Amino acid sequence: MAAGPAATYWTPGTHILWRYRANGGERYHIARPVTVVRDDADLLAVWLAPGTECVKPVLADGTPVHLEPLESRYTKPRTVQRDRWFGTGVLKLAQPGRPWSVWLFWEPGWRFKNWYVNLEEPLVRWAGGVDSEDHFLDITVQPDRSWHWRDEDEFAQAQRDGLMDAATAEQVRAAGREAVEVIRAWGPPFGDGWPRWRPDPSWTVPSLPEDWDRTPARVSS
């Protein structure tokens, strides 16, 4: 993957990795090669293109995670597998230091579908990309600015299974409430016109490197 010095921002068109650590562990179980759209002191924006080869978690027997009953979803052994990002692409927006990122989804033909607020640890930058840990609870925001919580059942189950303690859970709830205030005020990035954005047609689809799970030297948060 293309990489820049620690003190610089990535230029548009650069390929980096957007990764998540497994909850309760140090191994990476999600890795998505993305193309940098914008990177500066206020925002990191990246494009996950259709057809991109990614890494995702599955149960040890190959069962997709979402097909496993909630009661055993987080306790059964897991592994990872390579797969393709099918369907339309995703634009991901992250403001430095914020405990969430905002994703934009479109229907075929570039009809804007919705925003998705992914509550997570603030992204940590390294030479080859950014890392985080997902916090289960999410928020969906519709084009009419209405919103609702997502995955509250998974958030509760993760706590029951010991993947998140009470103090962390309260921090996640507080982050969610803060995100809701931004939504209600229609603050950045919601009011910034991103649904009208389109990828550069000259961009190529990034490839997944063999060492996608390498342990990086931390750069900054």
Side-chain angles (χ1 to χ4, degrees), residues 98-175:
R98 277 258 166 101
W100 68 76
S101 56
V102 178
W103 305 359
L104 284 79
F105 291 87
W106 286 267
E107 301 283 5
W110 287 104
R111 185 172 68 84
F112 182 62
K113 182 181 179 182
N114 64 271
W115 287 269
Y116 185 88
V117 179
N118 196 71
L119 296 171
E120 59 192 28
E121 288 187 359
L123 295 179
V124 174
R125 299 169 65 100
W126 55 286
V130 291
D131 294 343
S132 182
E133 183 174 314
D134 184 73
H135 282 159
F136 302 99
L137 190 62
D138 305 298
I139 305 169
T140 297
V141 185
Q142 302 302 324
D144 66 0
R145 304 189 185 186
S146 62
W147 61 272
H148 66 270
W149 297 105
R150 285 282 303 272
D151 303 325
E152 292 178 280
D153 56 345
E154 294 187 356
F155 182 61
Q157 188 66 43
Q159 294 172 68
R160 288 192 291 269
D161 290 336
L163 295 179
M164 181 179 294
D165 60 29
T168 301
E170 180 49 41
Q171 291 173 2
V172 174
R173 292 189 193 95

Side-chain angles (χ1 to χ4, degrees), residues 56-59 61-68 81:
K56 69 177 184 180
V58 295
L59 298 188
D61 64 2
T63 301
V65 171
H66 71 277
L67 295 182
E68 179 65 22
Q81 73 176 29

